[in-house]
Amino acid sequence: MRTMFKTFAGRAILATAFFALAATGCSDDSSSGTNVTDDTDNSSSSTTVSTDTDNSSSSTNENAGSNESDWREHCLEVINEYRASENRAPLALADEEKQKCADEQSADDLAENKAHGHFKACGEWAQNSGPNVNMANGRKASDVAEYYLEMMWNEKKLVESGERDLDKDEDYPYIGHYMNMRNSAYTKVACGIAVSEDGTTGWFNVNFY
């Protein structure tokens, strides 16, 4: 039986960056020319993020909606502000079906505690993920989106410093979130979030199309 959670209504290799909270990025080889691999060295990249949170007691509540009806719009706005800083065309929100799918996908990843565990389930080409989000004290979905998107875009600093190169595949595990957010090949985005039934742990996915 699948454990369910309440939800708020490319590149080819997997990337994991560890900050105050972990974030992971992933994309399809159709936009990068790189082969997908699941056996990446865990020192820099992983499909799984360990946690002490016990998800086994969570119950089904798929119809629970966010008290922020416009949080996805805020997610989109933040992404487009970052893209505009590099003269990249703005993205549009993907259709409602894909937004709902992103919520359900986030719930499934949270249930299995596996970053990108259901990558491409919503037909996305790339995905950035904020796993095991601390949702204590009624943290809002818009706050989660803002926090993680800033963290992801800040990988740009590694490029600006010369430490990482946008043209080197081996650097993707370190700057993949930034690369996904700025990619000109993508035109739409779906922002999804799920929260454990006890309200303590969340999972944030951003799917690019």
Side-chain angles (χ1 to χ4, degrees):
M1 177 179 295
R2 187 177 69 171
T3 302
M4 297 303 299
F5 299 83
K6 60 183 178 181
T7 60
F8 287 104
R11 274 231 359 157
I13 56 179
L14 304 178
T16 300
F18 293 96
F19 298 86
L21 295 173
T24 66
C26 176
S27 73
D28 189 288
D29 60 344
S30 62
S31 62
S32 68
T34 308
N35 292 326
V36 175
T37 177
D38 289 325
D39 57 354
T40 316
D41 182 356
N42 288 333
S43 63
S44 62
S45 176
S46 175
T47 58
T48 304
V49 178
S50 298
T51 180
D52 294 328
T53 304
D54 181 5
N55 293 330
S56 60
S57 62
S58 298
S59 61
T60 302
N61 190 352
E62 291 189 22
N63 297 320
S66 171
N67 56 7
E68 295 181 281
S69 60
D70 60 349
W71 84 270
R72 297 189 209 275
E73 293 287 349
H74 182 66
C75 181
L76 174 68
E77 179 181 350
V78 173
I79 293 171
N80 282 338
E81 285 177 354
Y82 285 127
R83 287 173 67 91
S85 70
E86 294 190 0
N87 296 315
R88 302 276 167 170
L91 302 179
L93 280 179
D95 60 49
E96 185 175 349
E97 182 179 354
K98 286 185 171 60
Q99 302 295 338
K100 181 180 179 181
C101 186
D103 283 343
E104 294 171 348
Q105 184 186 56
S106 297
D108 289 341
D109 287 351
L110 178 58
E112 296 181 12
N113 189 33
K114 186 175 182 180
H116 312 298
H118 300 83
F119 177 54
K120 298 180 71 174
C122 301
E124 69 274 15
W125 297 344
Q127 180 184 81
N128 287 359
S129 183
N132 296 310
V133 180
N134 182 356
M135 299 298 291
N137 302 317
R139 195 175 188 187
K140 295 180 179 179
S142 58
D143 293 335
V144 171
E146 198 167 308
Y147 176 87
Y148 274 99
L149 291 172
E150 179 181 13
M151 180 195 299
M152 294 165 180
W153 188 262
N154 279 343
E155 293 173 353
K156 178 179 181 177
K157 295 177 181 178
L158 296 175
V159 178
E160 293 175 331
S161 69
E163 185 176 348
R164 301 296 172 187
D165 190 330
L166 290 170
D167 295 323
K168 291 183 177 180
D169 288 344
E170 60 266 31
D171 283 347
Y172 179 77
Y174 305 94
I175 57 175
H177 312 99
Y178 164 61
M179 292 176 70
N180 288 343
M181 289 174 69
R182 72 187 296 273
N183 195 323
S184 295
Y186 306 143
T187 60
K188 295 182 179 181
V189 65
C191 300
I193 194 166
V195 180
S196 59
E197 190 64 30
D198 63 8
T200 62
T201 307
W203 200 285
F204 173 58
N205 280 344
V206 183
N207 292 339
F208 296 92
Y209 299 89

